[in-house]
Amino acid sequence: MVDIQRVKNDPDSAAAALLADGAVIVESVAPPDLLDRVLADFRGPFDEQGLKFTNDFNGYQTRRLASILAHSEAAADILAHPLVMGVADRVLKRHCETYRIGSSTAIEIMPGEGNQVLHRDDDFYPIRIPGVEFQISAMWALTDFTRENGATRVVPGSQDLRPISDITPDQETQAAMPRGSVLFYLGSAVHAGGRNNTDKPRTGLITTYSLGWLRQEENMYLSVPREKAETYPDHVRRLMGYQSHGRMLGVYPGDPDGHWFDA
Ligand SMILES: O=C(O)CCC(=O)C(=O)O
Ligand SMILES: [Fe+2]
């Protein structure tokens, strides 16, 4: 069976493996106290609205939470983690000036949930440009991810765009990893949530980062209230989309992005 490379906490190694294999794991990056704070922030909203997202794709025994930055300030340290930024710089900036969060979702796969259908996250964009990756995903294990509790299933090498219907079980592996680890995969890499055969939930936080000239999957300007957005530091607001892309329109006098005028 193919496996996912595990590399050290270094953006050069992680980006190289991600581009080569379509996926890579960096173990034990986020500290336990940060994970605890994020999990505590998610608990209330998970219980309140987590099951409002159930459907055939998301599953019916899985709690989900979108608009992460509306629910957890601590999560900003995960969404804008320097390792993620380093990997996104290397992979996405080949094709854009700036990238943004496409969507961010907490996923609690509960006991009894089955396998999610294999898919490509970037398939919601109805076109492809050969050689251009539209987005990458960073899936953080907030609890341990194991083969038994539904660790993300991944098909390494599937960024070759092979038809999903041709994929056989021997091409699949699972991103088993201790909590605090991060699985990166390309938007074109085939993957899915796994079956939870245990008696405890498996909780992950998945964020996509997309090229700055694409429409973000989630409308962050509406899903995170403006007053809340304004409390975040500049680099987080920029990731949410509060920035220009390139030197053309959308830059106004006094705009911090006005440096484009001088370039
Ligand atoms: O929960 C997971 O491990 C993956 C979920 C996923 O791929 C998705 O919902 O797009
Ligand atoms: Fe997915």
Side-chain angles (χ1 to χ4, degrees):
M1 194 211 287
V2 281
D3 215 344
I4 306 171
Q5 274 194 69
R6 283 156 210 264
V7 302
K8 59 183 188 315
N9 184 348
D10 157 55
D12 282 327
S13 318
L18 175 60
L19 283 168
D21 302 341
V24 64
I25 290 173
V26 186
E27 289 192 349
S28 307
V29 180
D33 64 308
L34 174 59
L35 304 172
D36 289 344
R37 279 189 290 138
V38 170
L39 278 172
D41 286 346
F42 288 169
R43 192 65 265 152
F46 255 149
D47 291 339
E48 215 173 277
Q49 47 174 284
L51 291 173
K52 291 191 176 153
F53 299 85
T54 57
N55 58 34
D56 288 350
F57 180 78
N58 290 339
Y60 293 93
Q61 313 287 338
T62 296
R63 289 196 181 92
R64 290 197 173 224
L65 200 59
S67 326
I68 290 308
L69 291 171
H71 296 298
S72 172
E73 285 171 22
D77 288 344
I78 294 200
L79 270 57
H81 192 282
L83 173 65
V84 179
M85 299 296 91
V87 171
D89 283 350
R90 285 159 180 76
V91 176
L92 298 176
K93 281 196 168 171
R94 300 174 309 155
H95 306 299
C96 64
E97 305 282 0
T98 58
Y99 51 83
R100 296 159 184 196
I101 292 169
S103 66
S104 191
T105 314
I107 304 182
E108 186 175 66
I109 299 183
M110 293 189 289
E113 182 62 280
N115 276 334
Q116 188 185 32
V117 66
L118 287 172
H119 61 277
R120 294 184 162 95
D121 282 350
D122 65 4
D123 261 347
F124 82 95
Y125 291 118
I127 56 165
R128 286 189 185 278
I129 302 174
V132 177
E133 282 294 334
F134 284 175
Q135 62 178 46
I136 63 168
S137 298
M139 166 62 104
W140 290 85
L142 302 183
T143 59
D144 287 342
F145 274 30
T146 67
R147 288 181 184 277
E148 295 73 35
N149 76 3
T152 310
R153 297 152 55 215
V154 181
V155 181
S158 56
Q159 75 276 19
D160 62 5
L161 300 181
R162 70 188 71 162
I164 293 180
S165 53
D166 287 355
I167 291 172
T168 49
D170 58 305
Q171 295 173 26
E172 232 184 77
T173 184
Q174 270 187 286
M177 52 187 182
R179 82 188 285 245
S181 307
V182 55
L183 159 73
F184 291 97
Y185 57 86
L186 297 175
S188 58
V190 175
H191 67 281
R195 169 186 300 124
N196 189 346
N197 277 336
T198 70
D199 57 6
K200 292 194 181 57
R202 182 232 73 173
T203 309
L205 175 54
I206 170 96
T207 304
T208 65
Y209 301 83
S210 55
L211 302 180
W213 42 267
L214 287 167
R215 197 232 191 250
Q216 292 157 275
E217 187 173 11
E218 179 183 349
N219 188 336
M220 220 77 58
Y221 315 101
L222 293 180
S223 63
V224 181
R226 182 164 178 166
E227 312 73 62
K228 184 76 177 181
E230 283 171 355
T231 66
Y232 283 107
D234 187 58
H235 70 283
V236 176
R237 282 203 312 269
R238 285 174 171 276
L239 267 185
M240 294 167 77
Y242 290 90
Q243 64 180 341
S244 73
H245 185 267
R247 65 190 69 205
M248 308 292 202
L249 299 176
V251 183
Y252 55 88
D255 188 334
D257 290 332
H259 65 274
W260 290 113
F261 286 128
D262 312 325

